[in-house]
Amino acid sequence: MKKTFVNNWREIVNKYGNNICVIDGEKQISFERMDLISDYLANELKYQGLRPKDCVGICMKHSKDLIATIIALLKLGVTYVPIDPDYPTERKIRIMTEANCIRVLSLAADNYDPIKNIAIEIDWNAELEKNIKLLYDHKEDDVIYILFTSGSTGEPQGVITTNLNLCSVIENCQKSIAISPGQRVMWKTSFCFAFGIYELYWPLITGGCICVADSETRKNPKKIKEFIQKYSIQIVTSVPTLLQRLLNHGELANCNSIEIILCAGEPMLPNLVEEFRKSGSGTLYNVFGMTELTGYIIYSKVDKTIDTSEPIPLGKEICGTKCLVLDNEYNEVEDGTEGILFVCGDNVSPGYLKNITLNKERFIIYSNRTYFKTNDRVIKKDGIYYYSSREDNLIKVRGNRIDCLEIEKIISEMANIKENAICYGNDGKIVDFFVTNEENIEHTIKLMQQKVQLKLPSYMHPNKWKRIDKLPLLTNGKVDRKKLKMMYEQKQNK
């Protein structure tokens, strides 16, 4: 059977049709009902003029309607581009233009754009008959969605994902960290981000249950805890920053339903692991991947065998993935030596949208196979990968390239520092924003200065230190560095 979403979906509907597919507020939708609704919606979208290979934008908040819309489009063979409703208008237009979206789909109540918009309005209580037949022959190389990430030039960069990419990564992930039919997954990560597939597609094509969290819940640790408890959530995904915040506020206490927490997107620090162990909240996995790889491709079970006096390992490859650690001349490095991580497999994207130059730079032919150059520097030792740094540093200070995470990692090792993040000011200053419960701030800063002086060269030392109650986060849970910089600049201009 061809590896396509629709083939996998139909198989799951046949097996678990009566099982709950989605819980949205007080509404529960079975797999059979979701299949029927999406069939009717696909037929309506076809009537509206959509055809296989077309590309459309979806601008909706998380809901059962969004899930039905995605399934309907995939049944039609239409490529979709996720667009966050909270994006600035200019960014929305730029993404749609770059992807050549012919229409944009949004909820009728949102009144998005009367010219290009197709308003989605679903009557979930309607009486429908099983008489809709969609005859499109889905192919493995069909482009199912295009995710736009921040590009190196500051412009959004589209990453192509095919049926084969998506189905392969989930099939292989099931062999490492399996989700069982009926397990409840909290959907809080934006569908605009690659990691969101584990809250959306993973349960959809394995028989799991998606529990939809609204935007207010996703941003609030206390509400996340209440949501987990209310819906007996069993699988949670998070970035380390958000998980640390949940632990800091004791929000994982009494969340006894949690069985699995997938953590990705940032380096996992030893102090986070130690605090998590005290919480007793299920099994923690450290996973590594990126948009160009469709999902995670390296994972480790962070159990009691992991030594927190050493760096937390990324882990080993999932099945079906081949990783190499190469030097700058594309030679394999010796075991235990740092190098650049290259990845090969069916999960690797065909490339960037309309960017021949970047495709040549990042998708490399090696030993007659296509490898993706991640630009992550890692160390492989005895079959286990350890994160080191990024090949492309985020800021440049006095001619020296600096990875902000390296500074943050050193400071985060201090027991009295809960969170911290670096920003680079317009005045050429490296600024560290930190969260602490310590009352003597001057003494705390002095200790941090001593710490970085011991660990880092002088050009990497923060010039300024700013205490903050909590770090601002993006919708995907990562630190909002642009907001930090804005906060710093506003204070400087007063």
Side-chain angles (χ1 to χ4, degrees), residues 114-115 152 247 278 301 317 330 337 348 386 395 414 435:
I115 299 176
S152 58
L247 291 169
K278 296 175 185 176
K301 184 178 181 181
E317 301 115 316
Y330 299 133
T337 302
V348 175
Y386 295 84
I395 62 175
M414 299 177 63
V435 179

Side-chain angles (χ1 to χ4, degrees), residues 239-256:
V239 293
T241 302
L242 179 58
L243 181 57
Q244 183 68 65
R245 182 169 294 178
L246 291 168
L247 291 169
N248 289 348
H249 292 80
E251 302 299 356
L252 290 185
N254 301 317
C255 291
N256 301 322

Side-chain angles (χ1 to χ4, degrees), residues 10-54:
R10 287 173 176 159
E11 184 178 350
I12 289 300
V13 172
N14 288 335
K15 284 184 178 179
Y16 308 110
N18 293 325
N19 286 14
I20 301 301
C21 173
V22 177
I23 299 176
D24 188 357
E26 302 305 316
K27 190 75 173 180
Q28 297 188 359
I29 309 297
S30 69
F31 278 90
E32 186 176 48
R33 184 66 177 173
M34 181 61 75
D35 187 51
L36 188 58
I37 288 287
S38 60
D39 272 348
Y40 269 79
L41 181 56
N43 192 56
E44 174 62 25
L45 292 173
K46 184 177 180 181
Y47 176 78
Q48 293 269 5
L50 296 189
R51 297 291 182 267
K53 311 295 185 181
D54 283 345

